[in-house]
Amino acid sequence: MSVTYPAIMTRPGFEAFIVTLPKATLVRQWRDDSVAKIGGKVFALLDRDPGEVWLKVSPMAYELLTDLHGIRPAPYFARAGWVAISVASPLSGDEVEAYIREAHRIVAGKLTCKARAELGLA
């Protein structure tokens, strides 16, 4: 059986979406993952192409999401409140994008006042 990945779970779709977020940057890191950063801090990544989207979530979202099929604590990042969302999850591409927007907001909010000001986010 063939699996159809939402665009956000492919490198072209993930990278095209990330560059629409304010002051977000992209790098290829680790195993050639597409890594999204704000102010030098990682807020989301695409693990493989196509593959899982890993991202920072709130403590409440972490508890709720990790109870869903196809969503697990993200390896190496779980203790920092990250989840890994697979194509098997019940989330739509739009919902994954909404969680990425929130991850961007959470991580940007933890930057120093100076860093936020330098990025024009203050």
Side-chain angles (χ1 to χ4, degrees):
M1 184 172 119
S2 171
V3 175
T4 303
Y5 283 80
I8 195 66
M9 293 183 168
T10 67
R11 188 182 307 263
F14 180 85
E15 292 184 353
F17 177 74
I18 294 302
V19 299
T20 69
L21 300 173
K23 304 300 182 181
T25 59
L26 276 163
V27 296
R28 299 271 175 91
Q29 214 168 305
W30 302 306
R31 297 177 315 242
D32 197 37
D33 294 338
S34 295
V35 180
K37 296 184 178 187
I38 178 78
K41 304 289 185 185
V42 179
F43 66 90
L45 65 88
L46 179 68
D47 182 47
R48 304 202 197 305
D49 178 26
E52 292 182 323
V53 172
W54 295 12
L55 51 92
K56 173 78 173 155
V57 294
S58 71
M60 183 187 308
Y62 183 89
E63 292 302 319
L64 295 171
L65 290 171
T66 54
D67 280 344
L68 297 176
H69 175 74
I71 302 177
R72 63 190 173 114
Y76 314 107
F77 291 81
R79 73 169 186 258
W82 281 59
V83 296
I85 303 170
S86 78
V87 70
S89 84
L91 300 181
S92 69
D94 288 344
E95 290 169 320
V96 174
E97 288 177 5
Y99 277 109
I100 293 172
R101 275 190 208 90
E102 180 64 6
H104 175 272
R105 188 195 66 75
I106 290 168
V107 173
K110 291 185 178 192
L111 297 173
T112 65
C113 290
K114 179 181 177 186
R116 286 196 308 275
E118 287 171 355
L119 290 169
L121 299 172

